Amino acid sequence: MLTGDASYIKKMNRSLILSKIIELHLISRADLAKITGLNKATVSVQVSDLLSEELIIETQQEHKNLGRRPIMLSINPQAGFVLGIDLDKKSITFNLSTMNGAPFQTNTIELQSSDYDIILNLLIKHIEDYKHQCAHTRYGLAEVVIGIHGIVNNDEMIYFVPQHRWRNKNLKEDLMNEIGINVSIENNANLCSLSEKVYKHHQSGNLLSISLYSGIGLGIMVNGESLKGCHGYAGEIGHMIIVPDGKPCSCGNLGCWEQYASETSFYKQLSKNNHIPDFRNGAIKHLLLEQEQNIDHLMDQYIKYLSIGLNNIINLYNPEILVVNSELLLMVPNAVSKIKRHLTSTISHYCELLVSELGNSACIMGACALAIKNFLKVSELSLTYNEKKTCLSY
């Protein structure tokens, strides 16, 4: 049985009220009481505290009916900002977001080096720039979350980043010592699964998100919470062996799934078959539209290997929603139907299989969502997906 003192219950009520204000954008005190089940006195006290902290604001809604206009509550857009960062192999993307999840500004910088100290100094410089930019607000730059394309443990230490060959790096501490802002480090696949739940599938408690970019990562949501395993290393599903004695993998094994079903593996094989060193998405889309025989055959093989891994995952987790995050599959007509034709087992059960609409923005959107959750200390978060933002590149 769950128990708690008055202070704990107050925190729970605050979290619930803030979550509903964020989700519904505008809501009155009376409606808050109805939706949350809290009494009006509790709502009034909590709202008073949030107003004094300038986390929420009041506005008077216009209406044509007689009588008093209702006073509506919403998140204060000038309260402060959070920063999500996607640290990838060749680039770093920064997304500055308001407290209600609206993207405010996105910048991307290209990486010329994998050296840890060089990238650390780049991060410090750009975070400091954002900190200065947000200084006019009450809470300034309140929280930073960084998505890592590698293995992150439960203490937020980076165990290994294969793309940069980093091992045992304490990026969290190194940054916080310099910038004086709370920083969280998280695996990119976990952030992708969080973004799917927060922005698209609010009611799903059991959701899996599979990212198919340079490698393959699995983000696992069970009963609405991330499942990370004993040390935080759960979800390294790309190193599940699907072809015994198959292609060598950087992990040391042979026949790992990501050697056959990651986008990188597809591009490498396509480049090899066509004697072209680098295929871009535009060229691939053209070949798909032209229904070139060589790419059709390769795509069929790719989907076959992808489906083998998906079948294993479905049997392991019995997900409600299985989201495949892939820019490549978004270009393939009827991709989901083609995958489903390979999922013929009578014991494999899932409710919905789809290709993510968030694409390669999923990681950074999840980083912003986690930053909001951390700063506002809310357990549940439902945000509206909005592609509009200011995009800058350097």
Side-chain angles (χ1 to χ4, degrees):
M1 181 177 68
L2 290 175
T3 61
D5 58 17
S7 175
Y8 177 72
I9 293 170
K10 185 176 181 179
K11 288 178 182 177
M12 287 180 60
N13 291 341
R14 175 190 173 96
S15 171
L16 179 59
I17 286 170
L18 262 177
S19 293
K20 290 303 176 184
I21 292 173
I22 294 169
E23 178 184 352
L24 300 170
H25 306 296
L26 281 171
I27 188 170
S28 67
R29 288 171 174 80
D31 286 338
L32 262 178
K34 290 177 185 176
I35 290 171
T36 61
L38 300 172
N39 64 53
K40 292 182 179 180
T42 298
V43 169
S44 180
V45 169
Q46 291 282 358
V47 166
S48 178
D49 288 345
L50 292 170
L51 286 168
S52 67
E53 295 169 30
E54 298 181 30
L55 286 173
I56 65 173
I57 57 174
E58 293 178 314
T59 54
Q60 209 159 35
Q61 194 174 44
E62 293 187 9
H63 69 118
K64 298 179 181 179
N65 298 330
L66 295 175
R68 185 177 177 182
R69 291 181 294 174
I71 295 175
M72 308 301 286
L73 305 169
S74 62
I75 290 294
N76 180 6
Q78 293 299 313
F81 294 88
V82 297
L83 182 64
I85 301 175
D86 183 359
L87 176 53
D88 208 341
K89 181 180 181 180
K90 297 181 179 179
S91 64
I92 308 175
T93 301
F94 302 83
N95 189 47
L96 192 66
S97 169
T98 62
M99 290 296 175
N100 60 1
F104 183 78
Q105 180 177 304
T106 298
N107 303 335
T108 297
I109 60 172
E110 300 301 319
L111 290 176
Q112 307 300 324
S113 169
S114 283
D115 183 85
Y116 177 77
D117 290 327
I118 291 174
I119 292 177
L120 173 64
N121 288 326
L122 276 173
L123 288 168
I124 291 169
K125 175 187 179 300
H126 285 274
I127 293 171
E128 288 287 0
D129 289 344
Y130 282 110
K131 184 179 176 181
H132 177 73
Q133 183 179 338
C134 302
H136 67 285
T137 61
R138 167 71 184 266
Y139 295 98
L141 183 58
E143 194 91 18
V144 177
V145 172
I146 302 177
I148 301 294
H149 295 244
I151 303 174
V152 179
N153 69 20
N154 285 330
D155 294 324
E156 300 181 47
M157 280 278 295
I158 297 174
Y159 175 70
F160 182 49
V161 179
Q163 295 172 340
H164 294 297
R165 313 306 296 177
W166 294 351
R167 291 186 183 275
N168 301 316
K169 299 295 184 182
N170 195 342
L171 181 61
K172 178 185 177 83
E173 184 176 294
D174 292 341
L175 284 172
M176 289 179 63
N177 286 340
E178 294 292 330
I179 63 176
I181 298 172
N182 191 46
V183 176
S184 296
I185 309 296
E186 183 57 275
N187 168 266
N188 71 301
N190 292 335
L191 292 176
C192 287
S193 65
L194 177 64
S195 67
E196 293 293 343
K197 177 170 174 55
V198 167
Y199 288 94
K200 300 296 294 184
H201 307 286
H202 307 309
Q203 305 306 317
S204 177
N206 294 279
L207 179 148
L208 302 180
S209 173
I210 300 168
S211 300
L212 302 179
Y213 296 104
S214 54
I216 299 180
L218 173 66
I220 309 163
M221 303 287 291
V222 176
N223 297 326
E225 300 292 333
S226 289
L227 179 65
K228 299 183 181 182
C230 178
H231 302 105
Y233 302 153
E236 292 300 318
I237 203 71
H239 300 288
M240 166 178 60
I241 295 173
I242 65 165
V243 180
D245 302 319
K247 298 177 183 178
C249 182
S250 60
C251 75
N253 283 327
L254 301 174
C256 289
W257 191 31
E258 69 177 38
Q259 298 302 315
Y260 299 86
S262 68
E263 290 191 357
T264 296
S265 69
F266 178 86
Y267 295 147
K268 283 182 179 177
Q269 191 61 50
L270 186 61
S271 295
K272 181 180 178 181
N273 291 356
N274 289 271
H275 309 289
I276 298 175
D278 186 18
F279 260 96
R280 300 293 180 182
N281 281 350
I284 293 168
K285 191 170 185 178
H286 174 74
L287 288 174
L288 287 167
L289 289 173
E290 293 296 319
Q291 297 183 326
E292 294 282 346
Q293 187 174 358
N294 62 343
I295 196 171
D296 282 349
H297 174 72
L298 187 59
M299 182 58 69
D300 288 342
Q301 287 294 108
Y302 175 79
I303 287 178
K304 174 186 173 182
Y305 284 121
L306 174 61
S307 302
I308 291 171
L310 292 180
N311 184 76
N312 294 341
I313 292 167
I314 290 166
N315 286 335
L316 277 171
Y317 293 104
N318 179 216
E320 177 185 4
I321 295 177
L322 181 60
V323 183
V324 181
N325 194 308
S326 166
E327 296 286 326
L328 175 60
L329 290 180
L330 285 173
M331 294 186 285
V332 178
N334 304 313
V336 171
S337 297
K338 291 176 181 178
I339 293 170
K340 285 181 176 180
R341 289 190 200 117
H342 292 276
L343 303 177
T344 56
S345 171
T346 57
I347 62 170
S348 297
H349 294 285
Y350 61 94
C351 293
E352 188 174 4
L353 170 65
L354 50 92
V355 178
S356 174
E357 296 178 24
L358 305 182
N360 57 17
S361 297
C363 173
I364 202 164
M365 291 170 67
C368 289
L370 182 58
I372 293 169
K373 289 186 70 174
N374 289 346
F375 177 68
L376 296 179
K377 296 179 172 61
V378 295
S379 57
E380 291 290 331
L381 192 62
S382 294
L383 300 174
T384 302
Y385 176 44
N386 184 354
E387 293 183 290
K388 293 181 180 179
K389 54 185 173 289
T390 302
C391 299
L392 302 173
S393 296
Y394 297 105

